[in-house]
Amino acid sequence: MDRITALAAFVRTVELGSQAAASEDLGLSRAMVGRHIQQLEDRLGVRLLNRTTRKQSLTEAGLAFFEKCASILDQLSEAERVASELQAEPRGTLRVNGPMSFGSPHLASALAAYCERHPQVRIDLVLNDRQVDLVEEGYDVAIRIARLTDSSLIARRLAPIRIVLCASPDYLGRHGAPRTPQDLAGHNCLLYTYSPTPLDWTLVGPDGVETVVRVTGSLSANNGDALVAAAIAGQGIVRQPTFIVGDALRDGRLVTVLPDHALPQPSAYAVYPHARNLSPKVRSFVDFLAGHFRGVPPWDVGLDEVSAIR
């Protein structure tokens, strides 16, 4: 028995819903598809599919076997792709989505370097701060700043992201600096509406104790740059990543507050819909970004020496 063909016959029968559809997809006769599945069941000593004249369904063993088989076939397809595309030249239009505040200063320069290396790729870059649906909206790759949970998307970590609390010296001179996380409840906090928890700020002290503080403020916005501008103008305390506030921290327009307390730290990821039959343009782009942001991120250079309010 050709085990790879048998696995493919079984997987495509499940995915397409019938042996007839699988036979057409694989270029095998319906009888041959059925024979392959029967031989699998005989070899394993279990029934994989419950069949009637009108429908089929997976058994419990069949479901577990299907998940493993689908993964094996994906890995085989990926191995074949690697071998066949070693000499393939990335080409075509690459649709990329990214957050506004990260894309303008940091992603755009990386794209320029990528395009110089791969002149046959044309990049269509769309920047916004909402989380897009890659498949529905037709993007090849998205850059996300997040603590990723389980997802159907494939993700590759590009760089660590530091989140800090900061405010202008003027604001802190007028209102005082918070000494404990609980003090934040008495301050004007500038709120990022796309955050999963815009009103609940989590901090971890030097002793490892986590504190969640409910905050309020006179300004909320769906863009980090707008909030940072308000913080620089003395309006309140902002919770934002260093790729936005880094320059203001370096030149003293902002200073960090509660520096001995850590905030949950996300990462920058390149995400794309699937690994199967990944095109050379997507693979080369993700590989390029991983190399471009390797090491200390440019937005964090020199921040360890900036002033902090303790």
Side-chain angles (χ1 to χ4, degrees), residues 85-100:
E85 291 185 358
L86 279 175
Q87 303 303 319
E89 176 69 19
R91 66 182 69 244
T93 299
L94 182 70
R95 295 202 70 221
V96 180
N97 176 265
M100 184 76 68

Side-chain angles (χ1 to χ4, degrees), residues 31 35 76 90 111 150 170 207 212-213 262 273:
R35 189 172 302 120
L76 177 61
L111 296 184
D150 291 341
D170 174 67
D207 56 1
V212 179
V213 182

Side-chain angles (χ1 to χ4, degrees), residues 8 24 28 30 37 41 69 111-112 135-137 163 172 178 204 207 213 218 225 243 262 277 288 291-292 301-302:
E24 182 176 352
L28 301 173
R30 183 174 178 179
I37 294 175
E41 291 180 326
C69 289
L111 296 184
V135 175
E136 183 176 325
E137 300 183 46
I163 307 295
L172 296 172
V204 179
D207 56 1
V213 182
S218 61
D225 288 314
F243 65 75
N277 298 325
F288 177 84
H292 182 81
V301 173

Side-chain angles (χ1 to χ4, degrees), residues 25-89:
D25 180 74
L26 296 171
L28 301 173
S29 69
R30 183 174 178 179
M32 183 60 70
V33 170
R35 189 172 302 120
H36 276 299
I37 294 175
Q38 183 63 57
Q39 288 175 341
L40 275 176
E41 291 180 326
D42 291 344
R43 183 174 183 277
L44 296 171
V46 296
R47 179 175 291 277
L48 301 173
L49 290 169
N50 291 316
R51 311 174 189 84
T52 69
T53 56
R54 302 183 62 180
K55 65 178 182 178
Q56 67 178 27
S57 62
L58 283 167
T59 65
E60 182 178 2
L63 176 60
F65 189 63
F66 166 75
E67 292 174 347
K68 293 294 185 182
C69 289
S71 175
I72 290 170
L73 293 176
D74 279 346
Q75 292 178 46
L76 177 61
S77 176
E78 177 69 3
E80 292 175 340
R81 184 208 60 75
V82 169
S84 65
E85 291 185 358
L86 279 175
Q87 303 303 319
E89 176 69 19

Side-chain angles (χ1 to χ4, degrees), residues 98-102 127-131 192 194 222-225:
M100 184 76 68
S101 301
F102 182 80
L127 298 177
N128 52 47
D129 289 333
R130 68 179 177 86
Q131 183 166 303
Y192 182 56
Y194 281 158
N222 65 353
N223 178 265
D225 288 314

Side-chain angles (χ1 to χ4, degrees), residues 223-246:
N223 178 265
D225 288 314
L227 296 174
V228 171
I232 292 172
Q235 190 167 348
I237 297 175
V238 70
R239 177 184 66 169
Q240 284 293 307
T242 53
F243 65 75
I244 300 179
V245 301

Side-chain angles (χ1 to χ4, degrees), residues 106 162 166 232 241-256 296-307:
H106 302 296
R162 291 170 59 186
C166 50
I232 292 172
T242 53
F243 65 75
I244 300 179
V245 301
D247 287 343
L249 289 172
R250 291 184 188 91
D251 63 24
R253 288 175 293 162
L254 294 175
V255 293
T256 56
V296 178
W299 52 85
D300 279 346
V301 173
L303 284 187
D304 290 338
E305 291 77 34
V306 301
S307 61

